[in-house]
């Protein structure tokens, strides 16, 4: 797991093997797996001072999210996508892991943002944007 976390901080390198790993990670995860990944992201990001006042995640919840995501990563990297993981690491290095998990994260977040309640919440932002001012900027001749 330490290798995965280190890889998440490396520059991504999207090569053939990283692409294969990405496809496998997405194909081998269920909706529940993707939800667990999103819960982990939220539980972890609520530690940032900029959002701490918006959400509270208990240590117990954060520990559970870490445990569930760790198990998910273990299953994906050592069982479900074992061959793709080995080849990606061999030929493209740890950055291939970052690429794979970035892709999986993007898919998981896309599913989150497709939820009708989330879509409705996102629509509330429209009420706060001055469409007239935006139109002026977009139509301005420079």
């Amino acid at each position: 797991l330490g290798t995965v976390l280190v890889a998440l901080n490396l520059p991504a390198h999207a090569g053939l093997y990283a692409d294969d790993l990405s496809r496998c990670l997405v194909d081998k995860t269920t909706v529940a797996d993707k939800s667990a990944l999103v819960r982990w992201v939220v539980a972890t990001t609520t530690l940032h001072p900029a959002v701490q006042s918006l959400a509270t995640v208990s240590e117990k919840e954060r520990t559970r999210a870490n445990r569930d995501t760790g198990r998910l990563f273990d299953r994906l990297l050592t069982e479900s996508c074992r061959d793709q993981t080995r080849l990606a690491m061999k030929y493209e290095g740890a950055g291939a892991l970052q690429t794979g998990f970035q892709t999986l994260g993007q898919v998981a977040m896309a599913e989150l943002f497709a939820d009708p309640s989330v879509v409705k919440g996102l629509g509330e932002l429209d009420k706060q944007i001055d469409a007239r001012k935006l139109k002026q900027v977009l139509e301005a001749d420079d």
Side-chain angles (χ1 to χ4, degrees), residues 42-120:
V42 170
T44 303
T45 56
T46 59
L47 293 169
H48 193 283
V51 296
Q52 280 181 338
S53 66
L54 297 175
T56 301
V57 176
S58 71
E59 278 304 311
K60 182 177 178 180
E61 291 167 325
R62 189 173 290 109
T63 297
R64 179 177 176 205
N66 281 323
R67 183 194 68 229
D68 292 348
T69 303
R71 288 178 182 165
L72 174 61
F73 283 15
D74 281 345
R75 179 177 52 90
L76 290 171
L77 295 174
T78 66
E79 297 171 24
S80 303
C81 300
R82 175 186 168 96
D83 294 339
Q84 293 86 348
T85 299
R86 292 181 75 217
L87 290 170
M89 287 294 291
K90 180 178 180 179
Y91 293 110
E92 297 175 9
L97 292 179
Q98 180 187 11
T99 298
F101 281 102
Q102 280 179 338
T103 301
L104 177 57
Q106 289 169 353
V107 169
M109 294 304 284
E111 289 181 14
L112 173 84
F113 280 96
D115 178 85
S117 297
V118 176
V119 170
K120 183 179 177 187

Side-chain angles (χ1 to χ4, degrees), residues 29-50:
T29 51
T30 65
V31 171
D33 292 335
K34 292 175 189 122
S35 292
L37 184 58
V38 169
R39 280 192 303 276
W40 173 73
V41 168
V42 170
T44 303
T45 56
T46 59
L47 293 169
H48 193 283

